[in-house]
Amino acid sequence: MLDVQNLTTYYTTMRGPVRAVEDVNFQLKKGEAMGLAGESGCGKTTIALSLLRILPFNGKIIRGKILLKKKDIVQLSDKRLREDVRWKSISLIFQGAMNALNPVYNIENQIVEAIRIHEPEVSKKEARERVGKLFEMVGIEAARAKNYPHEFSGGMRQRAMIAMALASNPDMLIADEPGTALDVIVQAQVLKLLNELKESLNLSIIMITHDLSLITETCEKLVIMYAGNVAESGDIVAMHKKPLHPYTQDLISAFPNIHAKKRRMTSIPGSPPDLLQPPPGCRFHPRCKYAKDICRKETPKLKEAGKNHYVACHLVG
Ligand code: SF4
């Protein structure tokens, strides 16, 4: 359903272009869930904003294609994007549910407004009825739609955001850090809800997170980003069992695993590079314990390393 080819997005700044996302490739099928993971600033959110073409004023897609059901989103006019893509085909759940909801309107009004902007033919009464059904779908009593955001707990606000994202029956949902600011129990409930919706509505989901443990139970696929590039992608179980890219290995070692043997967690030395001047060759080389001369000179290409498994590392393949 979604085929992203060589997506490259830069931000213009006074100091030069920030190369936030470069030559990113991935595919997503209908009904499939994919985790997009990596440290802060690796380009995850820029990919989400590029998919919907809602980048800030200084952001620009430099090259590449975003094929959604074979139509290239990069080439669509603003009118076609508004009418056919945003909310109707792809919906985004923003990071931080409290900030994404308007505190001075009740939640029903906010969702009704969103529905009527994207589907002007729907009457207010029909839109209100739809909000009630959406609330029930996400596990909140329909009557609570009349409440204001401050009357909801963090978990309920996140559910309301999910209801709002589903208002126009999209094919794909992008959830940007859906567990942010929620305690672990509420996080688990939100992930369970996303899982149930994926099954019942045959939704495709892209889940953006820096926390690998959040996506393991929900996603079939995983894309690991490092400094604007895809480091490794493929089947999530295979990647957890045998991560091939040194960055994926380090990232997995940085999280506790309650099912595995007790071990000391490790952190990744150093910090991600400045994307105004990323390091030449492999962008991970200043932090990689296996770096060789070639890693400092040549950018590794994403190569097939197994069935549905791709890795960008000179040591693999
Ligand atoms: Fe490390 Fe080289 Fe592989 Fe980059 S290409 S991850 S520096 S071994």
Side-chain angles (χ1 to χ4, degrees), residues 21 40 80 82 106 121 294 304:
V21 165
S40 299
R80 292 279 311 278
R82 222 175 20 248
N106 77 34
E121 70 283 2
I294 187 174
E304 197 163 359

Side-chain angles (χ1 to χ4, degrees), residues 30-284:
K30 180 88 181 128
E32 198 172 48
M34 183 187 97
L36 194 55
E39 289 164 289
S40 299
C42 69
K44 309 179 295 280
T45 300
T46 299
I47 291 178
L49 301 180
S50 302
L51 292 184
L52 282 162
R53 297 237 328 256
I54 50 171
L55 288 156
F57 73 96
N58 63 337
K60 191 169 180 211
I61 298 174
I62 302 295
R63 62 176 180 271
K65 290 182 178 174
I66 302 169
L67 301 172
L68 178 74
K69 296 187 199 158
K70 303 204 170 127
K71 261 185 269 163
D72 189 2
I73 290 179
V74 178
Q75 303 301 335
L76 290 184
S77 65
D78 271 349
K79 185 170 178 285
R80 292 279 311 278
L81 272 171
R82 222 175 20 248
E83 289 175 359
D84 301 342
V85 178
R86 295 180 191 139
W87 227 295
K88 284 193 177 165
S89 294
I90 309 179
S91 223
L92 175 63
I93 306 170
F94 286 100
Q95 218 178 105
M98 191 60 189
N99 307 333
L101 290 164
N102 189 331
V104 297
Y105 290 102
N106 77 34
I107 293 174
E108 182 185 73
N109 283 344
Q110 296 185 48
I111 305 183
V112 165
E113 188 187 352
I115 293 172
R116 288 180 31 90
I117 286 174
H118 294 273
E119 297 174 65
E121 70 283 2
V122 176
S123 70
K124 270 193 181 168
K125 185 171 173 280
E126 283 168 335
R128 279 200 201 101
E129 281 166 12
R130 204 190 290 181
V131 175
K133 286 191 190 132
L134 286 164
F135 260 51
E136 277 162 11
M137 195 194 292
V138 299
I140 310 177
E141 254 178 72
R144 295 293 305 266
K146 302 261 184 237
N147 287 152
Y148 287 81
H150 72 270
E151 295 175 286
F152 276 15
S153 66
M156 284 170 80
R157 281 197 291 266
Q158 190 61 286
R159 283 170 188 266
M161 286 301 300
I162 294 171
M164 195 191 263
L166 294 174
S168 286
N169 201 14
D171 300 304
M172 188 190 299
L173 207 59
I174 304 175
D176 193 358
E177 302 280 3
T180 301
L182 301 177
D183 66 56
V184 282
I185 300 203
V186 180
Q187 261 182 22
Q189 289 166 350
V190 169
L191 292 181
K192 186 166 170 272
L193 171 66
L194 285 172
N195 235 345
E196 287 165 2
L197 293 171
K198 172 179 161 270
E199 297 301 326
S200 60
L201 306 175
N202 199 22
L203 263 182
S204 304
I205 299 182
I206 297 181
M207 209 175 287
I208 296 176
T209 183
H210 61 277
D211 184 347
L212 278 183
S213 56
L214 268 189
I215 47 180
T216 320
E217 311 261 332
T218 314
C219 301
E220 292 99 4
K221 269 181 97 166
L222 177 61
V223 174
I224 299 285
M225 295 284 300
Y226 183 76
N229 297 148
V230 174
E232 185 166 359
S233 67
D235 174 78
I236 200 162
V237 177
M239 277 174 68
H240 259 85
K241 278 195 185 147
K242 199 175 172 209
L244 295 175
H245 195 285
Y247 177 62
T248 315
Q249 292 167 0
D250 286 353
L251 208 57
I252 289 174
S253 309
F255 284 95
N257 182 345
I258 54 167
H259 302 296
K261 265 200 211 153
K262 216 163 143 187
R263 60 172 167 78
R264 185 175 288 276
M265 282 190 297
T266 51
S267 63
I268 308 174
S271 36
D274 178 357
L275 293 181
L276 273 166
Q277 280 177 318
C282 171
R283 291 184 178 179
F284 188 55

Side-chain angles (χ1 to χ4, degrees), residues 23-40:
D23 291 318
V24 162
N25 292 281
F26 61 84
Q27 290 82 36
L28 190 65
K29 290 184 192 145
K30 180 88 181 128
E32 198 172 48
M34 183 187 97
L36 194 55
E39 289 164 289
S40 299

